[in-house]
Amino acid sequence: VQLQASGGGSVHPGGSLRLSCAASGFTMNYNAIGWFRQVPGKEREEVSCIDTGDGSTYYADSVKGRFTISDDKPKSMVYLHMNSLKPEDTAVYYCATRLKFPANCAAARSGGMDYWGKGTQVTVSS
């Protein structure tokens, strides 16, 4: 199982980015795939999660209305569309997946994700 996040970069406040997570080694039929972010010295924060089985999504309050998570099962990709970016969105962003039953975002929140990819840096500054 491998996950590879990409698409990070530097943008001005109010700008947009699309992060991509390429998944391999498993089928995106029934699992949770989430985006997390971490700033040095702070705890890792869950940003968004999608249940690939039924398409249910979860967003942290800090990104609701600005970020959108989506998946493309034929391409084994998950995307995080980030709009109206703020300086406080600056972090390293990671994608992760839970394959262990029950493989959904709610279970992942308590039981954790099983696999993590390397992160991609997002910097929002003027």
Side-chain angles (χ1 to χ4, degrees):
V1 173
Q2 287 192 328
L3 298 165
Q4 180 62 55
S6 62
S10 296
V11 296
H12 293 307
S16 299
L17 282 174
R18 186 186 77 166
L19 303 185
S20 300
C21 178
S24 61
F26 65 100
T27 303
M28 290 173 47
N29 284 339
Y30 174 64
N31 39 56
I33 299 182
W35 285 97
F36 297 76
R37 65 188 181 188
Q38 189 165 26
V39 176
K42 293 190 176 181
E43 288 191 2
R44 186 172 57 206
E45 173 189 19
E46 182 182 11
V47 176
S48 183
C49 189
I50 186 167
D51 288 331
T52 61
D54 64 8
S56 298
T57 57
Y58 161 84
Y59 297 95
D61 287 343
S62 58
V63 306
K64 277 181 184 175
R66 300 188 298 122
F67 290 12
T68 303
I69 192 170
S70 63
D71 65 17
D72 184 335
K73 292 182 180 62
K75 294 184 179 179
S76 293
M77 297 290 293
V78 173
Y79 303 102
L80 186 67
H81 306 260
M82 306 188 296
N83 297 318
S84 303
L85 283 161
K86 303 175 181 180
E88 51 264 42
D89 295 318
T90 296
V92 177
Y93 284 71
Y94 301 87
C95 59
T97 188
R98 178 178 174 90
L99 304 182
K100 186 187 315 176
F101 182 84
N104 56 55
C105 293
R109 205 153 295 122
S110 58
M113 293 290 191
D114 299 319
Y115 298 93
W116 293 80
K118 294 182 180 179
T120 185
Q121 176 72 46
V122 171
T123 302
V124 185
S125 69
S126 52

